[in-house]
Amino acid sequence: MTSMGILGAGRVGTNLAGKLAAAGHHVILGRRGPTDETTAVAEGADPRISFADQRLAARTADIVINATPGDSSLDRLAGLRTELAGKILIDVSNATRDAADGLPGDLCHPDSSLAEQLQAALPDTHVVKTLNTMLFMVMTAPETLATPPTVYVSGNNESAKKTVTDLLGDLGWRPEWIEDLGDVTTARATEAMILVVPHVLRRHGFKPFAVSLAR
């Protein structure tokens, strides 16, 4: 059993928490503070899910997932350098500026990526980018799509990527659906894929999909 710290207790974070807890991991769901609007999810939650502020979640977990809003992730996590030292940080966020209708707009780091920025700010942490090319419900139920989906993995440390790949299996991802793209700079490509998402949502509504390879 691994202790997982999830920074961000919105739809993405709570969805991941439930599936990881069901797979046997102890999950610490890191909220911004005691007045977080997600406090109600504590009622009836899996006993393997506990709640803490984000700094404590980062300090006490073995592996940490960044599920905070991407446009503010860098500022938030840069202040957790000590807590995240020596750990794997799984980054599932996309850093975008919202369009007028609230959907993702332009990239915040067009000549880089959020994952690269996090790796630079957290040199003692192994940043692995994944799960950022799909709607949140697909992250934990890839088998529900009619077409086999793809999940991409980017990171500098091979051992860290192997650990993350194993965790993806706990979320329901088959080995043949997992595409290791290489080092953390390849996250530029997958983060740019978010640019197609608002157009799909405007045409088809909030229906599950992933940006995948077809072979």
Side-chain angles (χ1 to χ4, degrees):
M1 181 180 71
T2 303
S3 175
M4 305 289 303
I6 301 179
L7 309 183
R11 292 182 299 184
V12 174
T14 54
N15 185 49
L16 289 169
K19 188 63 175 280
L20 289 168
H25 300 287
H26 174 66
V27 179
I28 306 164
L29 198 53
R31 303 179 295 201
R32 296 185 66 178
T35 59
D36 192 297
E37 66 273 13
T38 60
T39 301
V41 303
E43 295 297 328
D46 190 300
R48 286 166 294 200
I49 301 176
S50 59
F51 298 83
D53 65 77
Q54 293 181 1
R55 186 173 298 277
L56 181 60
R59 182 188 307 124
T60 56
D62 301 318
I63 298 172
V64 179
I65 298 175
N66 172 39
T68 65
D71 60 347
S72 60
S73 289
L74 185 58
D75 288 339
R76 294 189 197 195
L77 272 65
L80 301 177
R81 179 171 174 173
T82 299
E83 288 80 3
L84 293 170
K87 299 183 179 182
I88 296 172
L89 175 66
I90 303 173
D91 178 30
V92 305
S93 295
N94 289 302
T96 62
R97 300 178 179 89
D98 286 350
D101 57 5
L103 292 176
D106 294 335
L107 298 173
C108 293
H109 308 290
D111 297 319
S112 181
S113 65
L114 174 58
E116 289 174 85
Q117 296 295 313
L118 288 171
Q119 187 61 84
L122 304 166
D124 300 318
T125 302
H126 301 305
V127 177
V128 178
K129 188 81 180 190
T130 194
L131 290 172
N132 63 307
T133 54
M134 62 202 69
L135 295 192
F136 75 93
M137 65 286 284
V138 180
M139 294 179 178
T140 58
E143 73 284 353
T144 61
L145 296 184
T147 305
T150 305
V151 62
Y152 307 95
V153 178
S154 301
N156 293 339
N157 185 277
E158 294 300 322
S159 178
K161 288 195 290 185
K162 173 62 169 63
T163 298
V164 172
T165 297
D166 291 342
L167 285 171
L168 288 173
D170 289 344
L171 294 176
W173 290 90
R174 300 178 185 175
E176 63 268 25
W177 297 347
I178 302 172
E179 190 76 20
D180 185 345
L181 296 179
D183 67 25
V184 74
T185 64
T186 63
R188 297 185 189 188
T190 60
E191 291 189 24
M193 290 179 184
I194 191 66
L195 298 178
V196 75
V197 170
H199 306 297
V200 174
L201 293 179
R202 290 185 187 108
R203 287 183 62 86
H204 301 287
F206 205 70
K207 299 177 181 178
F209 73 92
V211 182
S212 302
L213 291 175
R215 289 193 174 102

